[in-house]
Amino acid sequence: MFNILLVDDEVKITEVIKAYLDKEGYNTFIAHDGQKALELFTQEEFDLVILDRMLPDISGEEICKRIRETSLVHIIMLTAKTEDDDKIDGFNLGCDDYVCKPFNVKELVLRIKAVFRKIEKEEIIKVGDEIEVNTLSHEVKIRGTEVSLTNTEYKILLLLVNNQKKIFTREELLELVTEDHYEKFDRIIDVHIKNLRQKIEEDTKKPKIIQTVYGVGYKFGL
C-alpha cells in the first residue's frame, strides 16, 4: 500500500481528495498546515506528497525545499498561481508536477496513479548499505559504488537477493539464470559465481554476500 501525505489548509478539499484516494486503496495522511506536514514527514515513510502552495504558516515552496534536503519523494504541487514563472520556481525547488486550482479530482487521481506506475517500474531493492539493485535499469551498487555485471551475474544476484532464505543447487541456478544451451552444465555456475564474487565481495576468500553451502549449492549471506 502506498502512503500519501496530503497538505492543504482547505478542509473540504482534503476530505474530497482523501475519499477518492481511500477508494483507490491508498493510505492518506492529512496536514492542514506546514508545521504538521513536516512533523508527519519525519514520522512516516511516504511515497508521494501532494502539497498546496499557499499555506497559513509555512509556504509550500519552503516545505518542498526542506523535504528535498533529505528525500527524493515525488511531490505534486497544488497552486492557484498559473503563471509560467511561478511553475518554473516550483520545479527549481524540486516539485515534480503541478496541478492548478480549481482542478478535477479524478484527473488528480489519474496523475497519482501514473506516479505509482513509474515507482513500481523503477523498483529499487536495497539490502542494508551493501547492495542496491534497480530492477528497471539493471544498475547495481555495492557499498555505494556502481559495478558492471554481465547479464548472468545480474540474474544470479537478483535471484539470491529476492530469495534470501533459500539455498539454490547448481542445477536450479543453471535453469533459472542461463538460456544458452552451451552453458547447460552445472559447473559453469561456479565460474559465474567466482566472477561475481570478484566484483561484489570485499574478501573473495571469505565471501559474505554469496555463501557456499557445501554439498548443496549457494545462498545469500547477508
Side-chain angles (χ1 to χ4, degrees):
M1 180 185 294
F2 289 112
N3 285 350
I4 299 174
L5 175 58
L6 173 58
V7 188
D8 197 309
D9 62 329
E10 296 185 54
V11 176
K12 289 184 178 180
I13 287 180
T14 58
E15 289 176 348
V16 172
I17 295 175
K18 187 178 187 304
Y20 273 87
L21 297 180
D22 287 347
K23 188 176 180 180
E24 295 294 333
Y26 301 132
N27 191 22
T28 307
F29 296 74
I30 293 178
H32 292 126
D33 59 66
Q35 188 61 44
K36 181 64 175 178
L38 293 172
E39 289 175 6
L40 283 172
F41 193 79
T42 60
Q43 295 168 2
E44 301 288 340
E45 290 287 336
F46 290 103
D47 303 290
L48 171 66
V49 177
I50 304 171
L51 177 61
D52 186 22
R53 184 165 183 162
M54 303 295 290
L55 294 168
D57 54 347
I58 306 172
S59 70
E61 291 98 328
E62 179 62 25
I63 294 172
C64 183
K65 182 180 177 181
R66 293 191 195 181
I67 288 175
R68 278 291 171 259
E69 290 174 354
T70 59
S71 173
L72 294 175
V73 66
H74 198 98
I75 300 174
I76 297 177
M77 190 85 80
L78 305 179
T79 180
K81 297 181 178 181
T82 58
E83 295 297 327
D84 289 342
D85 287 346
D86 293 324
K87 293 182 180 181
I88 290 170
D89 288 342
F91 286 126
N92 285 335
L93 288 171
C95 83
D96 300 281
D97 197 4
Y98 256 100
V99 175
C100 295
K101 293 183 177 181
F103 55 84
N104 186 313
V105 178
K106 292 181 179 180
E107 178 187 346
L108 176 63
V109 171
L110 288 175
R111 294 199 189 197
I112 291 169
K113 287 182 176 180
V115 169
F116 291 142
R117 282 196 300 271
K118 182 178 179 182
I119 289 174
E120 288 173 339
K121 288 180 180 178
E122 294 181 346
E123 182 179 4
I124 294 178
I125 301 171
K126 290 186 177 182
V127 182
D129 295 327
E130 292 282 325
I131 300 173
E132 182 178 310
V133 181
N134 187 316
T135 59
L136 178 62
S137 66
H138 288 197
E139 292 177 352
V140 175
K141 291 183 179 179
I142 303 297
R143 294 176 291 277
T145 301
E146 188 172 338
V147 297
S148 178
L149 304 182
T150 67
N151 188 46
T152 301
E153 291 165 358
Y154 171 81
K155 287 181 179 180
I156 292 172
L157 181 62
L158 183 62
L159 183 66
L160 294 175
V161 167
N162 281 331
N163 299 273
Q164 296 182 22
K165 295 183 179 181
K166 180 175 172 58
I167 299 172
F168 288 92
T169 66
R170 291 179 176 84
E171 292 78 9
E172 287 175 323
L173 288 172
L174 189 71
E175 290 299 320
L176 291 169
V177 305
T178 62
E179 298 175 1
D180 297 320
H181 69 278
Y182 61 81
E183 284 198 335
K184 294 296 185 181
F185 57 97
D186 60 6
R187 288 298 169 179
I188 194 67
I189 286 296
D190 294 343
V191 176
H192 289 304
I193 294 289
K194 178 183 177 181
N195 292 337
L196 180 56
R197 280 174 169 165
Q198 289 176 344
K199 296 178 181 180
I200 67 175
E201 298 284 2
E202 290 183 294
D203 184 352
T204 56
K205 294 181 179 179
K206 296 179 180 179
K208 295 181 179 180
I209 298 175
I210 300 177
Q211 295 183 347
T212 301
V213 181
Y214 292 100
V216 184
Y218 298 98
K219 70 173 185 177
F220 190 76
L222 295 178

